[in-house]
Amino acid sequence: MRPCILINREHLAHNVKTILKLCEGYGIAITAVTKVFGADTEIARILVDNGVSMLGDSRVENLKNLRNINAEKWLIRPPMMSELNEMVRYADVSLQTEIDSICKTADIAERQGRCHKVILMADLGDIREGFIKEEELLRAAVAAAKMKSINLYGIGVNLTCFSFVQYDTEKLEQLCRLKRRVEEETGHKLSVVSGGNSAAVDLMMKGGMPASVNNLRLGESVLFGKERAHYQFLPDMYNDVFSLECEIVELKEKPSLPWGTIGVDSYGKRPVFTDRGPRRMKAVCALGKQDFDPDTTIPYDEDIIILGASSDHLMLDITDSKKQYRLGDYVRLKLGYFSCMRAFTSKYVKKKII
Ligand SMILES: *Cc1c(COP(=O)(O)O)cnc(C)c1O
């Protein structure tokens, strides 16, 4: 059988309720980010059933999956000019960074008879998306505030995604100051100050979040119970919502070191092998880098060592395991962020909510 992602409904529901309550204590609402699980409808429904009222995804195609779910839908990546029609149809809110894109969004929203909410993104150092120059952001705000089919909804920032610049009180004070400047220039109150992603949770818990910040866009912390500034597990949260089962297709005693002349891998790097002794029990599983990411995956059985993977084979050292594995048995892996994302993207992997 094909490898299968198992989604633990109870653990997910618990995480959602716990993080909502935690953030509520700091006056912060959550936009739950669905891109890790490809905005699967059933999983999104678990989020909404447990109190989430806003869902965010970076892809319009994913938001389309959520069309029958009762929540405010956010597109959290600047939209492609070529997808604005669909974007306005499936997203209630978008994070925007280009005046031209906002203008075209307004035209399309008007044609569709809709009002579209816009959050302007400021780049405060991560050099990913967002306005760097204050004048440019203010100009976009003033323009957007005049457009009939646009609701200038808020301001936001994203850090710790490309340059891994950290959130701190000073940067978020800067965002709050920009909010006040936008309000002065447009004479329009902004509803949302979206202060970041799971890397901002630690700052919030330490009481460093300025009072005006009232929203966070959270994926990893909700789904994996992990904040991203220090990669700590959050108290009273589960980190095993997503796991993956794969089948053993070969089981043999093999040495830990390869033999022959060793070349380079597909990235041009020379592989390194650890000599763990001459007689190690190896399992090959029907799973590969096409379906998961070995670096962000941990076996449930703590005595198993992941040796590595190629596109379609996963090699495990099961010598120390207390369990007697047999050919055809399933091995269960705990999925981290990127591994989970890849598993959900792979058409070779099934999904099951348990
Ligand atoms: C992916 C993403 C998030 C969620 O990030 P997590 O670290 O998973 O919480 C938030 N905002 C934007 C703009 C994103 O692209």
Side-chain angles (χ1 to χ4, degrees), residues 16 20 29-32 44 47-56 69-74 92-93 117 153 215:
V16 171
L20 279 170
I30 287 176
T31 302
L47 301 178
V48 172
D49 286 348
N50 286 284
V52 167
S53 60
M54 296 174 279
L55 295 172
I69 289 186
N70 187 18
E72 187 175 76
K73 289 6 135 4
W74 291 29
D92 306 296
V93 181
K117 297 173 178 171
Y153 195 40
N215 172 276

Side-chain angles (χ1 to χ4, degrees), residues 31-36 56-58 75-78 95 121 128-129 157-161 167 194 196-201 216-224 226-228 337 341:
T31 302
V33 174
T34 55
K35 65 190 179 205
V36 184
D57 204 288
S58 41
L75 180 72
I76 61 169
R77 177 175 72 182
L95 308 187
M121 295 297 278
R128 203 179 78 171
E129 77 276 39
V157 68
N158 194 70
L159 295 169
T160 328
C161 266
Y167 290 91
S194 189
N197 51 35
S198 295
V201 169
L216 288 177
R217 308 170 307 274
L218 301 181
E220 184 147 20
S221 44
V222 180
L223 306 170
F224 301 91
K226 221 172 177 186
E227 62 81 31
R228 241 171 19 83
Y337 192 90
M341 195 172 236

Side-chain angles (χ1 to χ4, degrees), residues 265-285:
D265 67 14
S266 10
Y267 299 96
K269 295 207 181 86
R270 204 162 289 278
V272 182
F273 292 87
T274 313
D275 192 354
R276 294 191 174 93
R279 299 164 68 81
R280 311 301 293 183
M281 203 61 184
K282 297 271 176 69
V284 177
C285 298

